[in-house]
Amino acid sequence: MAIFSVYVVNKAGGLIYQYDNYVPRAEAEKTFSFPLDLVLKIHDEKAVVSFGQRDGIRVGHAVLSINGVDVNGKYTAEGKEIIEYLKDATNYPVSIRFGRARLTSNEKLMLASMFHSLFAIGSQLSPEVGSSGIEMLETDTFKLHCFQTLTGIKFIVLADPRQAGIDALLRKIYEIYSDFALKNPFYSLEMPIRCELFDQNLKSSLEIAEKAGTFGPGS
Amino acid sequence: MTVHNLYIFDRNGTCLHYSEWNRKKQAGISKEEEYKLMYGMLFSIRSFVSKMSPLDMKDGFLAFQTSRYKLHYYETPTGVKVVMNTDLGVPNCRDVLHQIYSTLYVEYIVKNPLCPLGETLQSELFNSRLESFIRALPFFSARAG
């Protein structure tokens, strides 16, 4: 049972804080000989498996490292294109590590803004009067919880589907935000949060929530 | 506990079927716009979820809920999307949506040689069977719950 990450989105839909608590990395490293039986293609500046599945390598996994050296987008560490490199038989046998690509900061910014809009559309398409936006989104691998304050700030928590007590955690994060970000005279509203005390208190409240404890007064 | 409305989309975004039972608020835009907005929202949610997910997903996006309603989603491998809005008391009803697809859509539309796929469904039989299926659901109550 784990809490994966926390996002804070301002009134305009921009991401102002992001913290990855626990990111499970499903990776597989294998040695291949020529010819490579997986088909790779370039997607979002990364070399991604488009066809072929074996031994924990799935469609959508990106090339993370070649022969132990991390790749740089669609190029190897030396600057050669990965797809060209792997077409050359003299480079084999080669050991490649595949896995789900980690999100870059830019991608996180775009996803946070995307969620901001989806939240509003969820409220507009409501068949009932007076509905809020999306408060909980469920998939088979994670549950996304969102709490929107009266001032328009959204606190978003991604957690394991079985994790309980996220509503209390969202209220607690709001409390920590008002104590350590809003009351900080050097913090400007709607700007990225760069307050050490906010980080520390957020981490400790995530630990408490994962252990399924409750937040006592003044904790 | 009640069902508000039901949408069925095909892989190109055409709304094949829409019916409502207990809808209290209209979206404020025309029906065509609403179908496009709903399809666009679901498409974006699917792409959002596949990027955000920390592990490889098998079923993908299942449902979302707001303070007043819950939207249940089921997509077949051929791209047919069944979407149902209910109130908050309804638990996971993915198997109900699967049944709508397999016992109603496949039986009365796909197997009907006179029903052109990819267009809005005109079959009276499908409509009446769907009505009785939804009204027979344990969580459907005609009074607003």
Side-chain angles (χ1 to χ4, degrees):
Chain A
M1 298 244 282
I3 295 173
F4 300 128
S5 36
V6 177
Y7 292 74
V8 182
V9 177
N10 69 11
K11 251 201 312 250
L15 184 66
I16 56 175
Y17 185 77
Q18 200 278 320
Y19 174 61
D20 283 324
N21 185 37
Y22 167 66
V23 188
R25 287 285 129 204
E27 289 168 357
E29 178 144 27
K30 288 238 133 7
T31 314
F32 296 93
S33 53
F34 190 78
L36 192 64
D37 53 354
L38 304 162
V39 176
L40 300 176
K41 70 168 199 257
I42 302 289
H43 178 71
D44 277 350
E45 291 304 308
K46 286 189 274 270
V48 163
V49 176
S50 81
F51 184 81
Q53 237 173 233
R54 54 176 270 195
D55 300 331
I57 301 170
R58 302 257 167 277
V59 171
H61 279 196
V63 174
L64 299 175
S65 75
I66 294 186
N67 290 330
V69 179
D70 284 340
V71 303
N72 182 7
K74 59 182 186 186
Y75 300 101
T76 67
E78 286 100 47
K80 290 203 280 270
E81 276 219 28
I82 295 178
I83 305 220
E84 293 308 311
Y85 182 83
L86 291 173
K87 281 208 182 98
D88 192 353
T90 56
N91 293 319
Y92 286 80
V94 66
S95 159
I96 314 178
R97 186 153 52 97
F98 288 96
R100 275 189 77 82
R102 190 154 275 176
L103 288 172
T104 64
S105 318
N106 232 24
E107 286 177 333
K108 286 178 188 167
L109 273 161
M110 289 196 289
L111 290 172
S113 308
M114 194 192 263
F115 183 75
H116 173 86
S117 315
L118 294 171
F119 183 92
I121 297 175
S123 150
Q124 189 186 2
L125 286 174
S126 164
E128 285 265 21
V129 178
S131 169
S132 74
I134 298 176
E135 289 189 340
M136 198 271 289
L137 192 136
E138 194 174 342
T139 75
D140 54 347
T141 47
F142 71 94
K143 245 190 200 173
L144 181 148
H145 301 254
C146 177
F147 170 56
Q148 183 179 45
T149 70
L150 292 163
T151 50
I153 305 281
K154 288 191 236 324
F155 296 98
I156 297 164
V157 169
L158 264 77
D160 189 284
R162 295 153 299 166
Q163 180 78 37
I166 301 289
D167 284 334
L169 173 66
L170 284 168
R171 304 284 182 286
K172 182 71 183 164
I173 297 177
Y174 185 26
E175 207 184 294
I176 296 171
Y177 168 75
S178 34
D179 282 338
F180 299 106
L182 293 183
K183 292 181 189 172
N184 182 338
F186 299 111
Y187 171 68
S188 331
L189 270 172
E190 315 288 322
M191 288 288 122
I193 301 174
R194 302 240 184 282
C195 316
E196 255 188 61
L197 285 175
F198 178 78
D199 294 332
Q200 285 170 16
N201 280 273
L202 182 69
K203 286 183 183 106
S204 54
S205 65
L206 286 178
E207 278 171 23
I208 298 176
E210 278 185 321
K211 293 195 188 82
T214 44
F215 303 103
S219 67
Chain B
M1 296 241 284
T2 180
V3 177
H4 295 299
N5 49 12
L6 178 83
Y7 300 78
I8 303 181
F9 294 101
D10 77 349
R11 67 190 307 158
N12 300 316
T14 331
C15 183
L16 301 174
H17 180 82
Y18 171 73
S19 30
E20 63 184 40
W21 291 274
N22 260 326
R23 184 173 192 170
K24 295 194 203 71
K25 171 185 162 284
Q26 298 299 325
I29 48 182
S30 76
K31 276 285 173 255
E32 283 74 36
E33 305 255 312
E34 188 190 315
Y35 301 150
K36 283 192 256 191
L37 187 61
M38 174 62 84
Y39 185 82
M41 178 180 78
L42 294 169
F43 189 86
S44 305
I45 291 182
R46 273 182 52 228
S47 130
F48 172 80
V49 154
S50 70
K51 290 216 114 133
M52 280 289 225
S53 174
L55 303 160
D56 294 315
M57 298 195 307
K58 206 164 53 74
D59 296 322
F61 166 54
L62 299 171
F64 76 68
Q65 76 182 49
T66 75
S67 62
R68 292 291 154 93
Y69 76 99
K70 190 167 179 184
L71 180 143
H72 306 260
Y73 178 79
Y74 173 70
E75 182 180 358
T76 70
T78 50
V80 174
K81 301 167 178 56
V82 185
V83 181
M84 182 153 78
N85 289 339
T86 68
D87 76 343
L88 295 174
V90 178
N92 190 320
C93 63
R94 197 173 160 77
D95 45 340
V96 170
L97 299 180
H98 177 73
Q99 261 189 295
I100 292 178
Y101 174 72
S102 58
T103 57
L104 295 172
Y105 179 77
V106 169
E107 291 299 317
Y108 296 113
I109 304 294
V110 178
K111 290 186 180 175
N112 183 341
L114 296 175
C115 272
L117 295 177
E119 285 175 18
T120 326
L121 303 175
Q122 309 284 2
S123 165
E124 271 306 314
L125 185 60
F126 175 77
N127 288 343
S128 60
R129 287 292 152 92
L130 181 65
E131 270 292 314
S132 43
F133 179 84
I134 296 285
R135 286 184 191 275
L137 286 174
F139 47 77
F140 181 85
S141 105
R143 277 168 294 111

